[in-house]
Amino acid sequence: MYARRASQLLKELDACEPGQLVVFNSDVFDQVIRECGEHNAQFQALIRKMVEQNLDIETTRNEDHYGAAIHHLSLLRNKRCLMAYMYNRAETIRSFRWKIGPVLPHEIQEKLNFSEKEYFRSHSSAIKSYISEMDIDLTVDMVPPKDPYIQVRVLEDIGEVSLGDHSVSLTKNSLHFLRRTDAEQFISQVCYLLHCTFPL
């Protein structure tokens, strides 16, 4: 049945948890590409046959016309399925840059094909270039904060740390009220601080 392989790719997307990826299914993807080539060849052959018989392609309604229509519509459906598969994976890959950072863990990288890895590197490079040019870190607050200061608990001894215009001693289990931008690097990258959502 036409387009069954292409629909298999979309079923994989649907079965996956939102924001997660399965391994890129290159076998089925390549099969769908080959099927597109076969549909195109059949479509072109049927159109040529009608032209050779001096039939008007616009008005003739015979078996060749309907055969060409089936191949053309199947080709379009396969293309839409391939584009949906790639677009949804690309959206998830873009979201990884904001959620995880510029370096993907090995378990995610092994799920990407070569072009997706290049896409992620290119996307990360564009963000880094923009952040550098504008001198603003877009990765700090994905949701605008209600307050520029946050309450944090120190999980590991860090010692004396210089934060902007002052220094603070970050000892284990101590509580602090810090600027979000100062604390973010210790929360997201090395997990030395815990953001407390309750009052101190």
Side-chain angles (χ1 to χ4, degrees), residues 151 153 175 194-200:
Q151 301 165 357
R153 178 185 300 277
L175 298 171
L194 174 67
H195 180 190
C196 302
T197 54
F198 52 85
L200 289 175

Side-chain angles (χ1 to χ4, degrees), residues 94-129:
R94 281 196 305 271
S95 75
F96 288 156
R97 174 58 180 86
W98 300 102
K99 293 176 185 173
I100 299 172
V103 179
L104 292 176
H106 178 69
E107 60 268 16
I108 292 178
Q109 285 194 35
E110 62 188 13
K111 294 178 181 178
L112 308 180
N113 69 3
F114 177 76
S115 62
E116 289 175 326
K117 290 175 184 175
E118 286 298 309
Y119 176 73
F120 180 79
R121 276 193 284 273
S122 174
H123 183 65
S124 293
S125 176
I127 291 172
K128 182 179 178 182
S129 174

Side-chain angles (χ1 to χ4, degrees), residues 132-172:
S132 174
E133 187 177 322
M134 300 305 292
D135 194 27
I136 183 170
D137 191 355
L138 300 174
T139 61
V140 173
D141 293 312
M142 297 309 295
V143 176
K146 294 178 182 176
D147 193 326
Y149 289 86
I150 60 172
Q151 301 165 357
V152 294
R153 178 185 300 277
V154 182
L155 301 177
E156 296 288 336
D157 277 322
I158 301 173
E160 195 77 17
V161 176
S162 178
L163 301 174
D165 57 352
H166 69 287
S167 61
V168 63
S169 178
L170 300 176
T171 56
K172 187 173 182 178

